[in-house]
């Protein structure tokens, strides 16, 4: 279903799956853990790696197919998607413009200038910083119109690259996971991801459904929207992605499973559980996870394992975003 889609290569091949044995033993001494595995979508060669590169393969491919010379996207000031868009555009030879809103109530030096923001500039993107209540997508389209008047052609996509075209990246990832399960001789009961703009969850669910598998195996923790809004957005996007594929399948409401317990006070606002999860993974496995998305979702995985939930292996997708750790240095220093 994906062979004829325009695609700009950014990944370099499937990302590996590894078992977290030391962390399992810490959570369930005596070998009683059902098995905790991670898929290393943080291990990609462009821009520091991360899940948005899967989406950008199809988005940049579509932009090139349309003859665009500029790529415009939106996000928060410390957006991982923005950073990877800037890097991917540098690789593809496209001009990149980022409309970044101050969505998190922070004004310290680390947050405003370090982490992803630092890298955005290094990759050559033009940054437009706007207030948190701005309609960033409308501003992006307005900028595209200005560029058109100057004889250029811009491609615009919203936050997270989570359009049906962008979600095709995680349709492809679903196929990749199914092949890896077969090779490993494992079937994961849960495939866990953070849920921000909904595209990773929606693409995986659509990909499993299109393959005749169970889309409810994909389970996410919302880190951005309240639970009801996250459920609605993810269902709609998964269905739109299936429609874009032309797949003869359906997504039922119960096929989309989202947990709202780890969101905390809101997007980008640290929680004690997130801070513990980031440290726990680093100190038991030497792995880094971001504080905004993966840290909160992994906190949910830890809580579930400590509660004795689950009797079959779990796969957690490490979606990248570790440059954000440097923007959150005050939160880790304070605790």
């Amino acid at each position: 279903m994906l062979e004829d889609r325009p695609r700009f290569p950014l990944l370099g091949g499937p990302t590996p799956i590894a078992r977290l044995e030391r962390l399992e033993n810490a959570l369930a001494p005596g070998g009683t853990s059902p098995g905790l595995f991670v898929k290393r979508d943080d291990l990609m060669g462009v821009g520091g790696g991360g899940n948005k590169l899967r989406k950008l393969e199809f988005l940049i491919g579509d932009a090139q197919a349309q003859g665009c010379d500029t790529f415009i996207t939106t996000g928060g000031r410390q957006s991982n998607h923005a950073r990877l868009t800037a890097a991917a555009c540098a690789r593809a030879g496209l001009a990149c413009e980022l409309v970044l809103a101050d969505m998190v109530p922070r004004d310290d030096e680390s947050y405003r200038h370090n982490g992803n923001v630092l890298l955005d500039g290094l990759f050559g993107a033009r940054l437009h910083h706007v207030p948190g209540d701005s309609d960033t997508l409308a501003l992006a389209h307005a900028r595209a119109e200005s560029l058109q008047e100057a004889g250029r052609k811009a491609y615009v996509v919203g936050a997270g690259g989570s359009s049906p075209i962008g979600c095709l990246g995680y349709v492809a990832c679903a196929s990749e996971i199914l092949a890896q399960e077969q090779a490993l001789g494992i079937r994961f009961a849960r495939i866990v991801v953070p849920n921000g703009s909904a595209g990773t969850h929606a693409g995986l669910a659509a990909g499993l459904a299109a393959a005749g598998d169970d889309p409810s195996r994909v389970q996410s923790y919302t880190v951005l929207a309240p639970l009801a809004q996250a459920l609605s957005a993810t269902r709609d996007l998964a269905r739109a992605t299936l429609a874009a594929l032309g797949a003869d399948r359906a997504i039922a409401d119960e096929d989309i499973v989202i947990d709202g317990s780890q969101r905390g006070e809101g997007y980008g606002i640290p929680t004690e559980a997130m801070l513990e999860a980031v440290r726990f993974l680093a100190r038991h496995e030497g792995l880094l996870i971001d504080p905004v998305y993966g840290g909160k979702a992994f906190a949910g995985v830890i809580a579930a394992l400590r509660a004795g939930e689950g009797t079959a292996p779990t796969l957690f997708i490490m979606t990248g975003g570790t440059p954000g750790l440097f923007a959150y240095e005050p939160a880790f220093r304070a605790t």
Side-chain angles (χ1 to χ4, degrees):
M1 292 180 179
L2 299 176
E3 288 180 358
D4 296 330
R5 301 281 178 166
R7 190 171 183 177
F8 181 75
L10 292 167
L11 303 188
T15 59
I17 290 176
R19 187 165 184 172
L20 303 183
E21 294 185 2
R22 287 202 70 246
L23 193 143
E24 284 180 28
N25 290 333
L27 292 173
T32 59
S33 171
L36 177 58
F37 297 76
V38 289
K39 182 164 175 60
R40 299 294 306 279
D41 271 13
D42 58 323
L43 293 182
M44 299 175 185
V46 177
N51 66 326
K52 308 303 183 182
L53 290 176
R54 291 190 182 272
K55 302 175 184 180
L56 285 161
E57 283 200 324
F58 289 91
L59 292 167
I60 288 181
D62 191 41
Q64 291 177 324
Q66 294 185 32
C68 297
D69 56 29
T70 304
F71 195 104
I72 306 175
T73 194
T74 70
R77 178 176 286 266
Q78 284 290 339
S79 167
N80 297 311
H81 167 64
R83 180 247 310 169
L84 288 173
T85 297
C89 285
R91 174 65 65 90
L94 295 174
C96 178
E97 301 203 13
L98 308 173
V99 182
L100 304 178
D102 289 319
M103 298 170 60
V104 178
R106 284 183 53 191
D107 196 38
D108 56 277
E109 186 73 10
S110 294
Y111 191 81
R112 293 186 66 81
H113 300 294
N114 207 335
N116 286 313
V117 177
L118 170 66
L119 298 180
D120 293 341
L122 286 177
F123 292 131
R126 179 172 179 175
L127 309 185
H128 306 273
H129 290 293
V130 299
D133 58 356
S134 301
D135 186 338
T136 53
L137 190 56
L139 292 171
H141 281 292
R143 177 61 182 159
E145 291 175 7
S146 296
L147 291 172
Q148 185 174 0
E149 293 172 359
R152 295 167 60 186
K153 186 174 183 181
Y155 187 94
V156 177
V157 68
S162 293
S163 69
I165 291 174
C167 289
L168 297 179
Y170 268 91
V171 171
C173 184
S175 178
E176 191 176 299
I177 290 170
L178 291 172
Q180 289 175 311
E181 283 183 320
Q182 186 173 13
L184 293 168
I186 296 172
R187 180 172 171 83
F188 298 109
R190 298 199 306 156
I191 301 169
V192 180
V193 297
N195 191 319
S197 59
T200 300
H201 188 155
L204 285 169
L208 290 182
D213 205 291
D214 179 8
S216 70
R217 285 205 289 156
V218 184
Q219 300 175 21
S220 66
Y221 289 86
T222 181
V223 302
L224 176 59
L227 181 57
Q229 184 180 337
L231 282 165
S232 177
T234 307
R235 288 167 181 156
D236 289 348
L237 191 51
R239 288 164 179 157
T241 303
L242 270 180
L245 285 169
D248 186 21
R249 300 285 178 179
I251 295 283
D253 282 359
E254 59 269 22
D255 289 333
I256 301 299
V257 182
I258 303 177
D259 188 305
S261 64
Q262 301 301 319
R263 180 172 173 265
E265 294 181 25
Y267 173 76
I269 300 176
T271 64
E272 290 300 320
M274 177 277 290
L275 294 168
E276 183 205 6
V278 171
R279 289 195 183 94
F280 200 71
L281 182 59
R283 294 173 182 179
H284 286 84
E285 298 287 350
L287 298 178
L288 298 176
I289 194 168
D290 83 288
V292 177
Y293 294 91
K296 287 187 175 182
F298 199 69
V301 172
I302 290 174
L305 290 175
R306 282 176 172 162
E309 298 175 11
T311 57
T314 292
L315 177 65
F316 181 80
I317 298 184
M318 292 183 65
T319 54
T322 53
L325 286 168
F326 300 99
Y328 279 78
E329 180 270 339
F332 287 95
R333 174 164 38 90
T335 56

